[in-house]
Amino acid sequence: LPHIQDYLLYFRGRAFERSKKIAEAVAAYDLMLELYPASVLRTEVLYRKAGAMLEGGSAEPARRIYTEFIERYSKSSRIPEALLGTGRASVLLGDNEAAIKAASRLLIHYPANRASRGAAQIVSQLRAAGVDIPEYSVEERFRRAQRLFDATLYAEAIKELEIVERGAGPGELKEKALIKKAVALVRLKEYSRVEGLLERYLTSRGASTRDAEALYWLSLSALRQSKARLLEKCVEELSARFPSSAERAGAILFMGRYYEGIGELDRAIGLFEQVASQFRQLPHAEDAMWSIGWLNYRAGRSAEALKGFGSYLDSYPAGKDAGKVLYWMARSLEKTGDSEAA
């Protein structure tokens, strides 16, 4: 079985590991690495070898291998576990500085990975032993918050962002943290908190390049709370200050959705037509063009619906809504009596 010898050696090493035969496991991994340097299993075997050596008490060579692994395979999904292994090996070697460095990197860059629990234990263990552990900088806190946000751990991200808000001086980082916090609150559907946060932000300081973003998320919170006047105010300010922005296009779409929701279809269509004509270069226009056809169909205006659906297909023949556009276009043709064309 020449084509699977590397796999056989790998699984042999794993079997030895599970049986706590560490020397035999390391020998199997070494042989695999020597005989099959181009194997797709190489990164996994190197990681496993380090783990086996650490379990066997060989902390220094294990740390050396983990370090090599992290440097050579920086995109590997095993990086968090390799950092944890580095931290644990460093603790065994009495190298507190290296342990803190590895654990902090894991907690900042991979806070949602299960290995981060082990890193937190290392930090707690060292702190209990009286080791001075420096606080994260606000930049590091923000990076950690971003990773938590990306992992949809919004409540945890908000806690980190609030620390950044308190610790950062006036400037871009503080504003980025506040906007990111607002978006996390949107994801948690806490729209009243979003409203309060962004209204304070917009009224408590001078103009900022992030105001368009703040107004966009404020308009969404207004839509979710059915606050028409607040939604109109957001659109008015975006129109005055950021007339060509994607944020303005999005806010007008939200206003259209509001009027669609309360049954004022003609008013909604007018807003969608505004987006379709003024923001053709943005993806918002595609959503608007679908809505124009669909709302005309709902209003019983089959000819106008056909025109709207046709405009969509002319502009987006392979668009995300092309399938349902074709279906409702056929239904519109049926309603006009043109069954053959349908």
Side-chain angles (χ1 to χ4, degrees):
L1 301 172
H3 299 299
I4 60 170
Q5 285 297 322
D6 53 342
Y7 281 85
L8 293 175
L9 283 169
Y10 166 71
F11 285 116
R12 185 179 183 185
R14 293 289 289 126
F16 281 135
E17 259 195 277
R18 283 191 286 270
S19 301
K20 305 299 181 184
K21 297 179 178 179
I22 302 303
E24 291 88 343
V26 171
Y29 293 145
D30 278 337
L31 185 59
M32 185 270 166
L33 292 168
E34 178 185 347
L35 295 179
Y36 305 99
S39 171
V40 295
L41 294 173
R42 181 175 180 80
T43 57
E44 181 68 10
V45 169
L46 194 64
Y47 165 77
R48 291 290 179 185
K49 177 185 173 183
M53 297 190 82
L54 181 60
E55 187 175 352
S58 300
E60 182 56 50
R63 184 168 72 167
R64 220 168 29 243
I65 296 168
Y66 278 132
T67 300
E68 176 191 350
F69 182 92
I70 292 165
E71 290 174 352
R72 291 181 61 183
Y73 306 109
S74 60
K75 303 297 183 184
S76 170
S77 61
R78 289 292 195 186
I79 292 297
E81 289 93 339
L83 285 167
L84 178 58
T86 303
R88 286 174 171 166
S90 297
V91 169
L92 290 174
L93 293 167
D95 190 346
N96 293 336
E97 184 178 351
I100 293 167
K101 183 178 178 181
S104 296
R105 182 175 170 186
L106 177 48
L107 288 166
I108 292 166
H109 293 277
Y110 306 96
N113 189 282
R114 63 182 181 180
S116 67
R117 292 194 291 270
Q121 290 171 356
I122 289 174
V123 171
S124 178
Q125 175 186 342
L126 293 175
R127 187 172 280 128
V131 177
D132 183 30
I133 298 176
E135 292 293 327
Y136 299 144
S137 68
V138 288
E139 290 80 11
E140 289 170 332
R141 285 280 182 191
F142 185 74
R143 196 172 299 119
R144 174 175 160 82
Q146 284 184 306
R147 300 295 191 273
L148 290 166
F149 182 96
D150 292 342
T152 71
L153 298 173
Y154 302 121
E156 292 88 340
I158 287 169
K159 291 176 184 176
E160 297 296 327
L161 291 166
E162 287 175 342
I163 295 173
V164 175
E165 280 186 80
R166 292 194 296 269
E172 184 180 2
L173 184 60
K174 192 180 190 77
E175 292 183 6
K176 284 171 67 176
L178 188 144
I179 298 295
K180 182 67 77 173
K181 177 182 171 182
V183 180
L185 288 168
V186 167
R187 300 285 188 260
L188 293 172
K189 298 182 173 22
E190 296 190 28
Y191 301 116
S192 62
R193 287 183 66 189
V194 176
E195 180 183 345
L197 177 67
L198 292 179
E199 286 197 317
R200 286 194 301 274
Y201 168 76
L202 289 163
T203 57
S204 65
R205 17 152 303 288
S208 166
T209 55
R210 295 198 171 271
D211 286 359
E213 197 175 353
L215 287 163
Y216 170 84
W217 292 108
L218 183 57
S219 69
L220 177 57
S221 74
L223 171 64
R224 296 290 185 253
Q225 297 177 94
S226 298
K227 292 189 173 183
R229 183 61 197 129
L230 177 58
L231 182 50
E232 288 170 359
K233 281 176 61 178
C234 291
V235 171
E236 288 167 5
E237 189 162 352
L238 283 163
S239 298
R241 297 177 58 195
F242 309 99
S244 301
S245 67
E247 289 83 3
R248 178 177 175 242
I252 296 172
L253 266 181
F254 293 153
M255 186 175 286
R257 299 287 177 231
Y258 170 78
Y259 286 115
E260 178 184 354
I262 63 173
E264 294 190 28
L265 301 188
D266 288 341
R267 199 164 180 181
I269 289 169
L271 290 162
F272 293 141
E273 287 174 340
Q274 185 180 348
V275 174
S277 63
Q278 294 183 17
F279 299 96
R280 283 191 171 274
Q281 76 282 10
L282 297 177
H284 306 74
E286 182 177 355
D287 291 334
M289 292 182 83
W290 149 254
S291 297
I292 291 166
W294 171 240
L295 294 191
N296 274 301
Y297 179 88
R298 282 179 56 192
R301 296 189 287 263
S302 299
E304 290 299 311
L306 282 169
K307 182 180 176 183
F309 291 141
S311 295
Y312 177 97
L313 291 174
D314 288 342
S315 300
Y316 310 101
K320 61 185 177 67
D321 293 321
K324 64 181 180 181
V325 164
L326 286 167
Y327 173 80
W328 290 108
M329 197 172 188
R331 294 294 300 271
S332 300
L333 285 166
E334 288 177 346
K335 287 182 177 292
T336 63
D338 195 348
S339 299
E340 184 176 346

